[in-house]
Amino acid sequence: MYLISLTNQDYFIITVFLAVVFVIAYVNRHKNPDYDSFLSAKTRFYSSIEFGLIEIVLAGVAGAIYGFNAIYYVFITLIIYLTLKKGLSKKYLGAKVNNFNDYIAITQNKAVATTTSILNILLLLVCTAVVISTAFKLLQSLMGYGFINNVMGLLGFTVMCLLIGGMIGLIYTRVLYLIIIFISFIAVIVLGINQIGGMTSLIHNLSNLAISQNLSADYYFIPQLTLSNAYLIALITLGLGGFRLISYKLVPQSKNRGISLLFVCVLILPGIIAIGTVSSGNIIAGKKIVTVMAELPDGQTGYIVKAVDSKDTKTDTMPGIIPPLLNTKTNLLTPNQYNYNLANIVVFRHYLPQSVMILSLLMILSGFMLSISSYMMNLGRVTVNNVLIPLGLIAKYGKIGELWSLQVFIVGFTGASLSLSYFFYNNYDLLLFIKLIIWIFIVPLLLILFISLFKKPSNA
């Protein structure tokens, strides 16, 4: 039995959702007739909030591993980020630029600027591939679909709408995506906390879980002053804050600074609810009967009923409803190993009524399309603005050549990221991917930015 079996009504809802996305792109097609219009849009709906699929998954992982502490850690990160962004905005205004790569271009020589742009392109390309492979895994866990047929069509559709609607279309569809994600998470948070018995019961369950794991009762509520937690904050700051700082684009009409923390809290809470949910199971002859969501031998994902040793249910250290990892070779549960990547997915499956289960799928689709469209737009912009134009590779084609190159490279990057995602899918380890992205791409780019801040812009 798979996690979701779609009905005709569900297919109708998905069709309407995709139709609305296409209509938004199509209606705005005339607003981007040239290169500059395609990349820019002046509208009060512009939002700097871009929490896509990776952020959704990582927020659930953080909530499931660290409880309410994850909110504290992210809060620290956002304070650091907003402080640095304020200073960076002044630098951008003084240099008369609005993004990272353009600022590097006027503070460094051409070789450094081009190298930085290529490094940024590789960062975005890898991030896109990670999003695709993550979507493969999530949809497989949610619906049981295989590698090719669950995302490839959606990827092509997303890129097509991006090419039709340009930046203005992206801005309006981004509003749609964020609304769907927000409503979905609020629904599952309200239902989850209510069914658990309120915040008091959730706190009680988290305290019992911590004690059963030989931890202090307040482990999931009060940050522990340890070296590993300091390292965690550093990773969150470099990953979430650093990536946002590199991707930050100065847009005066964007005024939603305070919303970021609220949105992150909303993304983290389901992961906390997942570990705060008391898992149920029958005891038969000293064995506990549990239902495990695991990858089947044919590569699909379904339910497996397992009998596991149970000495005492009161000392069960299983973190709520987080799925245990099943060793597909031995068909046995891996002791004390759990698939935290699905923290925000199992909560939807556990608490949403079947009649509105489609919300979980729409949430994943929205997060995926939001990430892909944003990454692809930035990939095209950096490639043309900061590599092709500075090197004079398309000068003879004029503005039409710039628009044509932008669209061609977006399509090319789509194919490249899809191919790369196949490798990530077969060697999937999200936390490892994130760490590699941080140390290989984000840290060097932040160092270049830091050095550039002390240099006088060439146009000053």
Side-chain angles (χ1 to χ4, degrees):
M1 181 176 69
Y2 297 121
L3 290 176
I4 286 185
S5 179
L6 296 180
T7 65
N8 291 334
Q9 180 180 347
D10 294 331
Y11 282 114
F12 175 76
I13 293 173
I14 294 172
T15 302
V16 171
F17 165 70
L18 296 178
V20 171
V21 173
F22 178 78
V23 168
I24 291 174
Y26 187 77
V27 167
N28 290 282
R29 71 192 187 284
H30 294 308
K31 297 181 181 180
N32 45 70
D34 53 40
Y35 177 74
D36 294 327
S37 299
F38 190 92
L39 287 177
S40 61
K42 294 182 180 179
T43 171
R44 63 189 180 90
F45 288 102
Y46 187 91
S47 171
S48 60
I49 301 177
E50 295 182 11
F51 293 104
L53 190 63
I54 296 300
E55 289 81 4
I56 288 173
V57 175
L58 290 179
V61 172
I65 296 178
Y66 300 102
F68 285 96
N69 292 330
I71 296 177
Y72 309 149
Y73 300 147
V74 172
F75 178 77
I76 294 173
T77 293
L78 288 177
I79 293 299
I80 295 173
Y81 164 68
L82 291 174
T83 302
L84 294 177
K85 190 179 78 168
K86 186 176 181 180
L88 193 60
S89 298
K90 294 180 179 179
K91 288 288 186 178
Y92 284 178
L93 285 172
K96 298 179 181 179
V97 299
N98 68 354
N99 63 77
F100 166 76
N101 291 95
D102 288 349
Y103 185 77
I104 300 300
I106 63 172
T107 54
Q108 301 288 347
N109 59 49
K110 182 178 290 188
V112 173
T114 302
T115 302
T116 301
S117 298
I118 292 174
L119 191 61
N120 198 0
I121 290 171
L122 293 175
L123 166 63
L124 292 169
L125 184 62
V126 171
C127 286
T128 304
V130 171
V131 168
I132 296 172
S133 59
T134 299
F136 290 147
K137 287 292 183 179
L138 294 184
L139 290 180
Q140 190 179 60
S141 299
L142 196 65
M143 303 179 67
Y145 285 178
F147 178 84
I148 296 299
N149 60 347
N150 62 5
V151 167
M152 183 182 289
L154 185 63
L155 175 64
F157 177 82
T158 303
V159 173
M160 178 189 70
C161 291
L162 179 65
L163 294 175
I164 294 174
M167 178 57 77
I168 185 66
L170 172 57
I171 289 174
Y172 287 118
T173 52
R174 182 184 295 163
V175 173
L176 172 65
Y177 300 148
L178 291 175
I179 289 175
I180 291 175
I181 293 172
F182 189 78
I183 290 176
S184 302
F185 271 80
I186 290 297
V188 79
I189 289 171
V190 172
L191 289 173
I193 293 179
N194 180 63
Q195 291 186 39
I196 287 176
M199 285 298 297
T200 301
S201 295
L202 176 60
I203 293 172
H204 176 73
N205 293 346
L206 291 176
S207 297
N208 288 342
L209 175 63
I211 293 173
S212 71
Q213 296 173 331
N214 296 320
L215 302 170
S216 61
D218 58 4
Y219 176 81
Y220 291 109
F221 309 101
I222 299 178
Q224 311 296 312
L225 299 178
T226 64
L227 187 62
S228 61
N229 284 349
Y231 178 66
L232 172 67
I233 294 177
L235 284 179
I236 294 176
T237 302
L238 288 172
L240 177 60
F243 182 80
R244 294 300 168 198
L245 208 61
I246 294 169
S247 305
Y248 170 60
K249 185 177 181 181
L250 181 62
V251 181
Q253 67 264 31
S254 177
K255 298 179 180 180
N256 45 35
R257 301 171 185 173
I259 301 178
S260 297
L261 178 60
L262 172 62
F263 208 87
V264 172
C265 291
V266 168
L267 297 182
I268 290 175
L269 278 173
I272 300 175
I273 294 173
I275 60 172
T277 300
V278 178
S279 58
S280 59
N282 298 319
I283 306 298
I284 301 178
K287 297 285 186 177
K288 182 178 181 181
I289 308 302
V290 298
T291 301
V292 181
M293 183 172 61
E295 186 173 336
L296 303 176
D298 62 357
Q300 301 187 59
T301 304
Y303 285 134
I304 293 180
V305 177
K306 299 288 293 184
V308 298
D309 292 330
S310 180
K311 297 179 181 179
D312 185 356
T313 56
K314 295 182 180 179
T315 60
D316 186 7
T317 61
M318 181 176 177
I321 54 175
I322 303 296
L325 289 180
L326 182 75
N327 188 321
T328 55
K329 295 182 180 179
T330 63
N331 202 30
L332 297 174
L333 296 178
T334 305
N336 300 318
Q337 295 293 318
Y338 302 93
N339 192 350
Y340 287 99
N341 291 339
L342 296 178
N344 273 352
I345 302 302
V346 294
V347 174
F348 279 84
R349 178 63 183 92
H350 189 84
Y351 286 111
L352 284 185
Q354 187 61 40
S355 58
V356 294
M357 191 64 66
I358 189 63
L359 275 177
S360 57
L361 179 57
L362 291 178
M363 178 270 293
I364 293 178
L365 298 184
S366 296
F368 172 79
M369 297 173 74
L370 194 158
S371 295
I372 293 298
S373 54
S374 297
Y375 290 157
M376 285 298 172
M377 182 63 81
N378 287 331
L379 273 167
R381 175 182 57 79
V382 175
T383 301
V384 177
N385 278 359
N386 303 104
V387 178
L388 299 183
I389 293 178
L391 296 179
L393 299 178
I394 56 175
K396 63 180 180 179
Y397 300 108
K399 285 294 183 180
I400 188 65
E402 294 174 3
L403 179 60
W404 178 82
S405 298
L406 175 66
Q407 295 173 336
V408 168
F409 270 95
I410 287 177
V411 174
F413 284 129
T414 301
S417 59
L418 185 61
S419 300
L420 186 59
S421 68
Y422 184 77
F423 169 78
F424 288 158
Y425 172 81
N426 289 327
N427 303 275
Y428 191 78
D429 187 338
L430 181 60
L431 295 182
L432 175 61
F433 294 160
I434 298 301
K435 290 178 182 178
L436 291 177
I437 287 173
I438 290 173
W439 297 118
I440 295 175
F441 298 109
I442 294 179
V443 169
L445 288 171
L446 287 177
L447 288 175
I448 294 172
L449 176 61
F450 179 77
I451 294 171
S452 300
L453 293 176
F454 295 95
K455 289 195 173 186
K456 186 177 181 180
S458 58
N459 63 355

